[in-house]
Amino acid sequence: MYTSTGFISWLLRRISGVALVLYLFTHLWVIGAANSGTQVFNARLDAVQTPIFKLFEIALLAAVVYHALDGIRLLLIHYFDLTEYRKTLFWAVFIVSAILTLAGGIAILAIMLNGG
Amino acid sequence: MLTFKIQRWSAIALLFFLTVHMIFMHYVPPFHITFDVVQARLSTPTWKIIDILFLFSVLVHAMAGSYQVITDFESAFNYRKALAWASIIIVILAFIYGAKTIWAFQL
Amino acid sequence: MSNNDIQRTVTVRIQRFNPDVDKKPHMQDYQVKMWPGMTILDALHEIKTHQDGSVTYRRSCRHGICGSCAMHINGRNTLACKTPIINEVQKNDTVTIGPLPYLPVIKDMVVDRTSFWEQYLRVKPWLLPPDDIPEKEFRMSQEEVDALHDAEACIMCGACYSSCAVIGLNKKYLGPHALLKAFLRVLDPRDTAPAERLEIVSQADGVARCHTIFNCIDACPKGLNPTQAIETLRKLAQKRQQYEEARRERQKHLNEPIPS
């Protein structure tokens, strides 16, 4: 295997993408409980808003943020000649993703601890 | 090239829709989501339209992406047509299911 | 750097695989005394000549133009003849050499490049010039030459191809080498079939498969940029008919001096 910054970036984009597809269909199923009435919906929603699921939410945030920022990197590369800055762009995506995940994650935890 | 273009356009749409969705779901009160909360939001035409367009963009992006990932493998590459049709059918079915659910919300 | 540094002995760790006797590849160490200016290829010659004649690798020109000696050295692909060994010695006094990744190993550092050449041929890598040949030469402007970004310098060594993770998953992907060559031909004002070439690279295993991992640029011993070539092809592929019409127009004046 030929590892490099670009390889890691692609691998993470792919892993986050696959995770998000699986999440998407789970999410559609959860919200689809609306078709079964208020009680079923609330039961399902309560089950996925417990503290352990708040941690999953932060993981979801990380996946979404990373995937989106790496996607923006791809759009930039598609439209501008930025190969000279490829390493900088990879690291920018990693770092900004980490910052946004941290900030968003802390907010989620703060909201949870304040009783929602 | 077509899948590539679809992927890019749905991605750009998602940059908008997903940001809106994440902010309103996680960071705008009320924070605990129940049927009443969802109903209050999705009964309005604005949110119905936003969420239906969002649903379409995300399904297209997810299936185009899954198609790309699976057909990157040489063994799956020969079944491209079948995989493409399966992706399209999944998008259509999931979209109908989701759009109907969204549309049905009313106060 | 003093002479003492250069003449020290280092360990050259080579991946060995002899299909007649080995079930799988294994690493074998050799001690090599470096001399000033020694390249990785020189070290391999030293080992083969004086220590172990069974070590097998491809080589020819030994000055970076034939493309035969591309290998995997300390985790990246490069030409053995252009890599000074002193730059590659790691902290534990070791240099690790292996065959190009993702390709079937025939023996030691010799790999089976069949898929490499098959994809290359798929893009019709030869120029398709116009029928009326000029008395002297075809005239190209400096801008037209610059737009090629030295793509003609490619020596088909395989370092880029073999560094691409997409190739690792799918040997039917055209690959950075073929796409760079397609780019060279498409942008050449002498070529008569840009729309056909753009059609070829727009197939499902063409430009859309590049995931901009950028390993190809890092690996290229000639400093070429297959990723940028692929991006350009992506853009042009969407307007191939207009591009071909512009080419026909250009070719009406191909034998005329370039206006200054």
Side-chain angles (χ1 to χ4, degrees):
Chain A
M1 257 209 323
Y2 200 98
T3 50
S4 61
T5 324
F7 176 77
I8 305 279
S9 162
W10 170 72
L11 198 63
L12 286 177
R13 182 169 81 243
R14 196 147 274 211
I15 291 175
S16 60
V18 170
L20 286 168
V21 172
L22 295 173
Y23 169 75
L24 172 67
F25 286 101
T26 313
H27 187 51
L28 293 180
W29 173 77
V30 168
I31 302 300
N35 291 315
S36 310
T38 319
Q39 270 171 332
V40 178
F41 185 88
N42 282 334
R44 225 178 260 182
L45 261 290
D46 282 340
V48 299
Q49 290 183 85
T50 52
I52 181 91
F53 275 94
K54 287 291 168 192
L55 291 178
F56 285 144
E57 252 174 44
I58 300 177
L60 172 67
L61 178 67
V64 168
V65 161
Y66 179 80
H67 195 84
L69 285 172
D70 206 42
I72 293 176
R73 183 185 65 84
L74 287 182
L75 286 171
L76 289 174
I77 288 171
H78 185 57
Y79 290 109
F80 306 107
D81 184 359
L82 295 172
T83 48
E84 205 185 312
Y85 308 107
R86 57 190 183 278
K87 278 253 162 62
T88 314
L89 285 173
F90 287 135
W91 282 106
V93 169
F94 292 141
I95 291 172
V96 176
S97 297
I99 294 175
L100 287 178
T101 304
L102 206 58
I106 290 176
I108 288 177
L109 288 175
I111 291 171
M112 176 183 82
L113 292 170
N114 272 345
Chain B
M1 280 306 289
L2 183 62
T3 318
F4 182 83
K5 282 202 264 194
I6 290 173
Q7 195 64 337
R8 291 297 174 267
W9 283 111
S10 58
I12 294 173
L14 281 177
L15 283 175
F16 168 70
F17 285 122
L18 201 50
T19 311
V20 165
H21 189 73
M22 295 280 287
I23 291 177
F24 277 88
M25 295 311 117
H26 289 280
Y27 302 108
V28 170
F31 299 117
H32 187 79
I33 305 195
T34 63
F35 187 87
D36 292 337
V37 172
V38 178
Q39 188 183 45
R41 191 174 57 81
L42 280 182
S43 303
T44 64
T46 320
W47 276 110
K48 277 199 211 295
I49 297 192
I50 291 178
D51 272 11
I52 287 178
L53 290 174
F54 173 39
L55 176 67
F56 185 70
S57 313
V58 80
L59 281 172
V60 164
H61 192 80
M63 292 323 295
S66 308
Y67 173 80
Q68 274 271 22
V69 169
I70 296 175
T71 53
D72 260 357
F73 291 94
E74 193 165 350
S75 40
F77 187 70
N78 299 322
Y79 303 104
R80 282 190 328 277
K81 260 221 160 73
L83 287 167
W85 278 112
S87 307
I88 294 172
I89 290 172
I90 292 175
V91 171
I92 293 176
L93 293 176
F95 179 67
I96 291 176
Y97 176 72
K100 278 180 65 178
T101 310
I102 293 171
W103 201 254
F105 277 98
Q106 46 190 268
L107 286 167
Chain C
M1 201 185 304
S2 71
N3 272 339
N4 287 340
D5 282 333
I6 293 174
Q7 276 168 21
R8 71 180 205 268
T9 302
V10 294
T11 305
V12 179
R13 180 160 293 159
I14 300 180
Q15 181 177 300
R16 306 297 313 276
F17 177 69
N18 180 349
D20 292 336
V21 296
D22 294 324
K23 283 203 180 59
K24 55 188 181 98
H26 59 276
M27 306 305 280
Q28 190 163 347
D29 287 356
Y30 300 89
Q31 303 305 311
V32 173
K33 189 158 144 198
M34 300 191 286
W35 37 259
M38 185 189 229
T39 63
I40 297 284
L41 188 61
D42 292 326
L44 286 169
H45 285 334
E46 154 69 32
I47 294 168
K48 187 175 176 73
T49 311
H50 298 297
Q51 300 185 41
D52 183 350
S54 69
V55 174
T56 309
Y57 48 94
R58 285 194 178 107
R59 85 286 178 268
S60 185
C61 75
R62 86 212 183 327
H63 65 260
I65 198 68
C66 72
S68 305
C69 66
M71 294 176 204
H72 197 63
I73 298 167
N74 286 339
R76 52 182 191 87
N77 292 350
T78 188
L79 294 177
C81 66
K82 294 290 269 182
T83 308
I85 192 167
I86 190 71
N87 292 348
E88 293 301 323
V89 180
Q90 306 296 292
K91 284 198 177 51
N92 52 1
D93 277 354
T94 310
V95 180
T96 308
I97 304 175
L100 291 178
Y102 304 137
L103 292 170
V105 179
I106 298 175
K107 185 179 179 200
D108 294 347
M109 258 70 71
V110 177
V111 293
D112 182 345
R113 289 155 60 106
T114 309
S115 63
F116 177 82
W117 295 117
E118 268 172 8
Q119 302 320 322
Y120 177 63
L121 288 172
R122 277 177 59 197
V123 300
K124 295 194 184 172
W126 46 86
L127 186 70
L128 293 161
D131 290 326
D132 50 334
I133 311 291
E135 227 180 86
K136 289 194 175 175
E137 70 277 320
F138 291 109
R139 309 296 284 265
M140 281 169 72
S141 71
Q142 189 58 50
E143 284 81 26
E144 283 166 333
V145 172
D146 290 341
L148 298 172
H149 295 302
D150 297 326
E152 75 280 358
C154 173
I155 58 175
M156 287 289 146
C157 69
C160 65
Y161 184 78
S162 183
S163 70
C164 181
V166 183
I167 293 290
L169 294 175
N170 184 357
K171 294 289 182 300
K172 294 203 177 67
Y173 168 47
L174 282 178
H177 69 312
L179 291 169
L180 183 68
K181 187 64 95 189
F183 165 82
L184 177 66
R185 298 298 177 222
V186 166
L187 262 70
D188 191 328
R190 300 168 299 174
D191 193 83
T192 50
E196 186 190 341
R197 296 184 188 281
L198 289 169
E199 186 81 45
I200 294 172
V201 303
S202 299
Q203 289 165 16
D205 44 17
V207 288
R209 290 274 155 215
C210 169
H211 297 314
T212 55
I213 297 172
F214 285 122
N215 283 353
C216 52
I217 304 178
D218 294 336
C220 179
K222 293 290 175 183
L224 301 176
N225 194 337
T227 316
Q228 200 53 44
I230 293 170
E231 286 297 335
T232 310
L233 287 174
R234 277 200 256 244
K235 292 193 186 73
L236 293 176
Q238 293 171 34
K239 305 186 276 224
R240 40 185 183 266
Q241 287 315 320
Q242 290 115 296
Y243 196 74
E244 175 126 336
E245 274 154 31
R247 175 60 51 80
R248 289 206 212 294
E249 202 41 53
R250 172 76 183 90
Q251 290 193 333
K252 290 181 185 151
H253 311 282
L254 210 44
N255 302 335
E256 295 158 21
I258 305 293
S260 47

